[in-house]
């Protein structure tokens, strides 16, 4: 697990970047089902990254300019009559002892105590997010301080988002973070390999889902990192299919996109394989094309390469293959530029991975793509989806019926290293021979 020393280092790094500012972070809200039953709590990733504190109704304040209190937590106090219903709380005193806060207060005192951590700051670092009530709270404090600025000559003159600074930090994973991600991968690999062995004609998609998620919890994961996609037959052409209620048949493909969350760090793996003993000829042709595109894309995950290169590489391989199959026709450069391949491949080839499945971090700086560097973790996941109702782009050939109903995606988690890359999820087989059953 991440130790308090690393959380302290993260806060110090952020405070060094904000200078004389004050940064404010709000915990995630509690989500309610059935009117009065709470969903399992999942902390806001930015808040957790800086504090390790895993309770709702909390606010973290970083005030590097304050003489005594650089790190302040506002938390729920200990209240037995409430804890007996919803679980133990850390409380104010333990927030300092256990989480390293220089000072801690009950959350009810936020409005009273916050101004003294803002009045000498030159700006407020806070991301105006979905919590409109809390947004209004921060803006109200800022407006009151601005009203007295002419008399004092100090105070925050602007509100600036924390995202550009903090998310650049989150993008590069520490050795401890990578340990957590490797554990999430290890569990997810076991689950995928078991699911492939378990799958057979006549079983239902939800049975496979149950096997996957059983292993997630059995091995100590928090559970699925996202709703598990277990898509057989035509369902494999729906990118975010989660109903998982179809009975699988011989000659179907099964697309499983699933990963677990371990200590809030995530894995994200996709494999596509025959439900029966082997691919049909058409399935095999398209599968080999997607695998070729994925391997070529992974080869481009190198330090110093622009982020978009592995996507562009996958697209070119897929377009060349689709042209050979007469599913696309014309000039390859025009097809790529005008995205005439999108009826068959409509998503990007990957995303950042970490505390969030689609993790924090920019992909592009103006016209320039982010440069890959050691410690970045990306997914590489090309696919082809030829639905029953798929329509070719204007001027492209009609789709031969023999290709319809086939959806394929292959996804691995790839770490950028000093000398190249490491496929973290390599222990889940993906060759054509390995997919035979």
């Amino acid at each position: 697990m991440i130790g308090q020393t690393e959380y302290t280092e993260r806060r110090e790094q952020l405070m060094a970047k904000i200078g004389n500012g004050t940064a404010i972070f709000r915990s995630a809200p509690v989500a309610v089902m059935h009117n009065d039953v709470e969903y399992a709590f999942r902390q806001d990733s930015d808040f957790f990254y800086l504090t390790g504190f895993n309770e709702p109704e909390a606010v973290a304040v970083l005030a590097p300019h304050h003489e005594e209190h650089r790190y302040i937590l506002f938390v729920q106090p200990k209240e037995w009559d409430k804890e007996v219903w919803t679980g133990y709380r850390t409380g104010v005193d333990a927030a300092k002892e256990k989480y390293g806060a220089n000072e801690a207060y009950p959350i009810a005192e936020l409005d009273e105590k916050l101004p003294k951590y803002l009045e000498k700051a030159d700006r407020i670092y806070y991301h105006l997010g979905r919590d409109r009530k809390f947004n209004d709270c921060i803006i109200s404090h800022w407006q009151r301080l601005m009203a007295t600025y002419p008399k004092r000559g100090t105070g925050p003159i602007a509100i600036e988002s924390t995202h550009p600074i903090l998310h650049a930090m989150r993008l590069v994973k520490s050795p401890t973070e990578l340990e957590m991600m490797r554990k999430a991968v290890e569990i997810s690999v076991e689950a995928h390999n078991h699911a492939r062995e378990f799958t057979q004609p006549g079983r239902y998609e939800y049975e496979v889902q149950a096997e996957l998620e059983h292993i997630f919890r059995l091995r100590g994961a928090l559970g699925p990192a996202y709703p598990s996609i277990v898509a057989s037959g035509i369902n494999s052409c729906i990118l975010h299919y989660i109903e998982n209620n179809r009975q699988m048949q011989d000659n179907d493909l099964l697309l499983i996109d699933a990963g677990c969350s371990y200590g809030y760090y995530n894995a994200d793996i996709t494999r596509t394989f025959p439900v029966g003993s082997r691919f049909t000829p058409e399935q095999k042709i398209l599968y080999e094309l997607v695998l070729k595109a994925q391997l070529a894309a992974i080869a481009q995950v190198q330090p110093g390469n622009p982020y978009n290169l592995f996507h562009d590489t996958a697209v070119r391989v897929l377009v060349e293959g689709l042209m050979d199959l007469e599913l696309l026709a014309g000039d390859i450069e025009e097809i790529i530029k005008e995205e005439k391949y999108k009826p068959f491949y409509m998503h990007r080839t990957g995303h950042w991975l970490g505390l969030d499945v689609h993790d924090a971090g920019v992909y592009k700086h103006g016209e320039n793509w982010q440069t890959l560097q050691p410690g970045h973790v990306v997914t590489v996941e090309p696919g082809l989806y030829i639905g029953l109702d798929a329509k070719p782009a204007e001027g492209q050939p009609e789709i031969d019926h023999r290709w319809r109903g086939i959806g394929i995606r292959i996804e691995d988690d790839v770490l950028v290293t000093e000398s190249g890359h490491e496929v973290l999820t390599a222990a889940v087989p993906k060759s054509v021979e390995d997919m035979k059953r």
Side-chain angles (χ1 to χ4, degrees):
M1 302 298 286
I2 308 295
Q4 281 304 309
T5 299
E6 183 159 337
Y7 288 116
T8 300
E9 290 171 351
R10 293 171 182 177
R11 292 191 296 270
E12 291 296 330
Q13 184 181 350
L14 180 63
M15 285 191 283
K17 293 177 182 294
I18 66 174
N20 205 48
T22 294
I24 302 170
F25 298 90
R26 171 75 157 163
S27 65
V30 170
V32 177
M33 63 188 296
H34 306 311
N35 295 322
D36 61 355
V37 178
E38 296 177 0
Y39 283 98
F41 180 68
R42 205 285 184 186
Q43 186 59 279
D44 174 82
S45 293
D46 285 347
F47 188 94
F48 190 78
Y49 180 81
L50 291 169
T51 68
F53 190 76
N54 199 32
E55 295 178 23
E57 292 299 314
V59 171
V61 178
L62 301 181
H65 50 81
H66 196 275
E67 293 180 359
E68 297 180 78
H69 307 152
R70 291 162 53 84
Y71 170 39
I72 308 96
L73 278 175
F74 293 85
V75 302
Q76 296 180 95
K78 298 287 291 180
E79 293 181 277
W80 179 85
D81 58 333
K82 294 183 179 178
E83 292 178 67
V84 73
W85 287 94
T86 57
Y88 298 115
R89 297 175 179 176
T90 299
V92 174
D93 292 336
K96 291 191 289 185
E97 298 166 7
K98 187 175 180 181
Y99 292 95
N102 301 129
E103 186 57 273
Y105 304 103
I107 188 65
E109 296 180 14
L110 178 69
D111 281 336
E112 175 191 348
K113 304 293 187 183
L114 185 58
K116 71 178 181 179
Y117 299 113
L118 299 177
E119 59 191 8
K120 292 185 179 180
D122 58 13
R123 64 189 56 217
I124 297 171
Y125 285 88
Y126 169 72
H127 182 74
L128 294 167
R130 298 174 184 172
D131 188 338
R132 293 187 178 182
K133 184 177 180 181
F134 194 68
N135 291 345
D136 291 342
C137 170
I138 300 302
I139 292 171
S140 177
H141 280 290
W142 175 61
Q143 288 173 325
R144 285 196 292 271
L145 288 165
M146 284 301 295
T148 60
Y149 181 85
K151 297 179 181 179
R152 294 181 294 106
T154 62
I157 60 172
I159 297 178
E160 185 172 329
S161 174
T162 53
H163 281 188
I165 298 173
L166 183 60
H167 289 182
M169 291 169 54
R170 283 181 54 188
L171 199 53
V172 179
K173 305 302 185 286
S174 72
T176 312
E177 288 182 291
L178 290 174
E179 286 181 18
M180 302 291 284
M181 294 186 72
R182 289 181 191 280
K183 184 62 177 179
V185 164
E186 176 189 329
I187 296 168
S188 301
V189 164
E190 180 183 347
H192 269 265
N193 289 339
H194 172 70
R196 190 177 67 257
E197 295 301 318
F198 176 81
T199 297
Q200 65 182 40
R203 284 191 163 138
Y204 285 83
E205 295 164 342
Y206 57 74
E207 294 181 77
V208 178
Q209 177 185 0
E211 294 292 313
L212 285 161
E213 295 178 4
H214 170 69
I215 290 177
F216 292 167
R217 290 296 286 142
L218 187 66
R219 297 291 179 255
L222 297 173
Y226 51 92
S228 300
I229 297 169
V230 184
S232 65
I234 188 58
N235 294 337
S236 63
C237 295
I238 302 171
L239 300 185
H240 290 165
Y241 171 81
I242 57 172
E243 283 78 6
N244 300 345
N245 57 14
R246 180 177 177 273
Q247 187 177 38
M248 299 177 291
Q249 307 298 323
D250 199 13
N251 292 327
D252 281 347
L253 290 180
L254 180 62
L255 186 158
I256 299 177
D257 186 338
C260 77
S261 180
Y262 183 85
Y264 279 1
Y265 287 86
N266 302 290
D268 187 358
I269 307 172
T270 306
R271 290 294 186 267
T272 309
F273 54 87
V275 170
S277 60
R278 60 188 63 246
F279 293 101
T280 67
E282 290 77 17
Q283 291 169 352
K284 182 173 181 287
I285 289 168
L286 293 182
Y287 184 89
E288 288 177 328
L289 176 54
V290 174
L291 181 58
K292 181 180 179 181
Q294 200 222 17
L295 294 174
I298 289 174
Q300 299 301 329
V301 179
Q302 302 283 342
N305 279 352
Y307 176 87
N308 65 310
L309 183 56
F310 71 87
H311 169 72
D312 292 347
T313 299
V315 167
R316 183 167 291 273
V317 173
L318 292 173
V319 169
E320 288 173 349
L322 292 171
M323 292 178 71
D324 291 341
L325 297 175
E326 300 182 348
L327 285 163
L328 290 174
D331 178 73
I332 187 170
E333 303 302 335
E334 179 184 328
I335 291 171
I336 292 173
K337 181 179 179 181
E338 298 183 5
E339 299 184 330
K340 292 186 176 182
Y341 58 85
K342 280 211 163 177
F344 311 121
Y345 182 45
M346 59 290 294
H347 60 81
R348 299 286 298 183
T349 305
H351 53 78
W352 304 124
L353 183 67
L355 267 176
D356 292 306
V357 176
H358 287 247
D359 205 27
V362 300
Y363 293 96
K364 207 172 184 181
H365 301 277
E367 295 301 313
N368 299 315
W369 288 92
Q370 173 75 264
T371 299
L372 296 178
Q373 60 179 289
H376 287 172
V377 181
V378 299
T379 66
V380 181
E381 50 177 312
L384 287 173
Y385 316 89
I386 309 178
L388 297 179
D389 299 322
K391 296 179 181 179
E394 184 177 354
Q396 291 299 304
E398 291 298 315
I399 301 169
D400 191 308
H401 184 73
R402 69 192 181 110
W403 304 111
R404 291 191 179 274
I406 300 176
I408 297 165
R409 181 164 64 255
I410 306 172
E411 177 182 21
D412 281 295
D413 304 341
V414 184
L415 167 67
V416 183
T417 65
E418 294 285 348
S419 59
H421 64 258
E422 177 187 352
V423 181
L424 300 175
T425 48
V428 187
K430 59 186 177 185
S431 72
V432 171
E433 285 303 311
D434 286 329
M435 294 299 98
K436 291 180 181 177
R437 295 157 52 74

